[in-house]
Structure formats: C-alpha cells, structure tokens
Amino acid sequence: LAKTTQPISMDSYEGQEVNITCSHNNIATNDYITWYQQFPSQGPRFIIQGYKTKVTNEVASLFIPADRKSSTLSLPRVSLSDTAVYYCLVGEVGDMRFGAGTRLTVKP
Amino acid sequence: DTAVSQTPKYLVTQMGNDKSIKCEQNLGHDTMYWYKQDSKKFLKIMFSYNNKELIINETVPNRFSPKSPDKAHLNLHINSLELGDSAVYFCASSQGWGGRTDTQYFGPGTRLTVL
C-alpha cells in the first residue's frame, strides 16, 4: 500500500508559481502518480498523471525524479480560483488513499 | 450533460432510518465507486463495481449496501442510520477497472446529516 506525504497547507499570491511536493517512498515499479484537485463542496477533479520525468498539460506540470520517491505538482501563475485541496495518489484505485491533501490558499 | 450525477445533494434524517443515495454516470465507464468524506476531510473508498460486479469492498458496516442495476448506475442504500454516518458521500466512475492509470470522475457529493 503506497503511502503519500504532503504538506498540510500552503499559501501563495496571485500570479506566482506554486510547487507542491509529495513523498511516496514505497512506490511500486508499476505505480503511476496522480494528482487531484478538490474545491469546497465539490468532488475531486483529476489534474495530471505521470510515471517518470516530466508531464505537462494545460493546467499543470508534474515533475518526477529518477528514483520516483517523490513528485512535484507545479501550478503556473496561480489565481484565486486555484484555492483548493490538492491530493497526491499512488497505485491502483483500490490501494489508493486520499489523505488530508495540501490545502492551497491563493491570496490577492 | 453532467458526467456523474448524484441525488439527493443534501439528506437530513433521523437515527435508525433507512435511506438511499443514487448515482448515475453518462460517460460509458465500466467502473463506479462510492467514497465517504468525513468531517476531517479524509476521503475513503467504500465500494467499487466493475460491469455491475463488486470488485472492492472496504471494511464498512454491512448496513451499507451498494446496488448496481446497470453499468451506468450505482446506488448506495444505508440501513439503520447512525450519527457516525454523517458525512459527504461521493460517487465516481472510471473507464477501466481501477488500475494504476485509471482516472476517476467524481460526482458533486451528497451531504448526509443524521440527527
């Protein structure tokens, strides 16, 4: 069961780049890393997924070092609407655990 | 054109009652899930169904019974409701069976309050 560790909270300001790091020391060889975003009173929403190196989409980038024991979600130029909880997940759905996530607060 | 929908959005009931929450997905996905998010905001999987068959059944009281009449629906029935059942319940779906690359799509949640 792959366990993940993230900071409980982070603050940022509009227009800044935000990097949220997740530790997953016991990641299995076949595991992918998936990030979800959850706004208050809504269900989680898929942001990005990767296996190694770097993945980029229209919303974020995901950086994964060679040892894959951690990953960093990068949100470029955040806005107030990016205030949410961000979850890092590893493994199969049945093995994944949504922990407390990282509560990102973007300030004006 | 909501992808994953749940009804009702809010449910307030008395202890001991029986209630159901309905979930429907129009994405053509093969697998559906139920999650519980408690007051501390931890989101925990309860069940998953793949093509109407139960594939994940986490340790939840047997008062909780999922029912999948077809691939697009997964309802959650709860008997003899208790105070500790108060939480937000999320339905989700995914294309595959919940493998390592599967992406889940979540519904808006049902906030259950047991008085």
Side-chain angles (χ1 to χ4, degrees):
Chain A
L1 190 66
K3 181 182 175 183
T4 60
T5 304
Q6 308 172 228
I8 293 295
S9 64
M10 293 181 69
D11 289 342
S12 182
Y13 290 92
E14 282 189 291
Q16 290 187 335
E17 179 185 72
V18 171
N19 296 310
I20 306 174
T21 298
C22 177
S23 296
H24 28 78
N25 291 320
N26 59 343
I27 187 170
T29 303
N30 296 333
D31 283 344
Y32 278 69
I33 301 149
T34 309
W35 285 80
Y36 285 83
Q37 173 193 55
Q38 185 177 23
F39 296 114
S41 302
Q42 294 186 27
R45 182 176 73 111
F46 171 83
I47 301 176
I48 197 166
Q49 182 182 79
Y51 182 79
K52 62 180 179 180
T53 63
K54 177 183 174 182
V55 179
T56 298
N57 61 23
E58 64 278 5
V59 177
S61 294
L62 179 60
F63 298 92
I64 306 167
D67 67 5
R68 304 198 331 117
K69 292 184 182 300
S70 67
S71 58
T72 299
L73 174 73
S74 181
L75 304 172
R77 297 180 298 282
V78 294
S79 64
L80 296 177
S81 63
D82 292 316
T83 293
V85 177
Y86 293 82
Y87 297 97
C88 163
L89 295 145
V90 173
E92 297 180 1
V93 171
D95 293 337
M96 295 192 302
R97 295 292 181 265
F98 282 81
T102 298
R103 182 172 298 277
L104 172 66
T105 302
V106 180
K107 303 175 182 179
Chain B
D1 58 346
T2 305
V4 182
S5 59
Q6 296 178 226
T7 53
K9 187 167 177 61
Y10 299 96
L11 184 53
V12 181
T13 187
Q14 300 286 334
M15 280 177 56
N17 285 350
D18 302 338
K19 291 294 179 184
S20 293
I21 306 172
K22 296 184 177 181
C23 177
E24 176 181 2
Q25 54 96 3
N26 62 5
L27 298 167
H29 287 170
D30 288 336
T31 306
M32 297 184 71
Y33 312 83
W34 277 109
Y35 283 84
K36 177 182 180 181
Q37 189 165 41
D38 59 27
S39 57
K40 294 184 179 179
K41 303 301 183 183
F42 289 106
L43 196 61
K44 184 178 179 182
I45 192 168
M46 301 172 69
F47 303 101
S48 80
Y49 268 72
N50 177 264
N51 284 316
K52 295 169 55 181
E53 290 192 18
L54 182 67
I55 57 172
I56 293 175
N57 185 359
E58 291 293 307
T59 305
V60 298
N62 57 15
R63 298 181 294 103
F64 290 79
S65 54
K67 296 279 192 302
S68 182
D70 55 57
K71 205 171 74 166
H73 296 84
L74 181 63
N75 303 324
L76 183 65
H77 189 76
I78 315 170
N79 289 327
S80 304
L81 278 156
E82 301 177 356
L83 293 177
D85 297 333
S86 294
V88 180
Y89 292 85
F90 289 99
C91 177
S93 72
S94 67
Q95 180 64 57
W97 54 271
R100 300 177 192 279
T101 60
D102 234 358
T103 300
Q104 296 176 83
Y105 292 79
F106 285 80
T110 295
R111 181 175 294 277
L112 171 65
T113 303
V114 182
L115 304 175

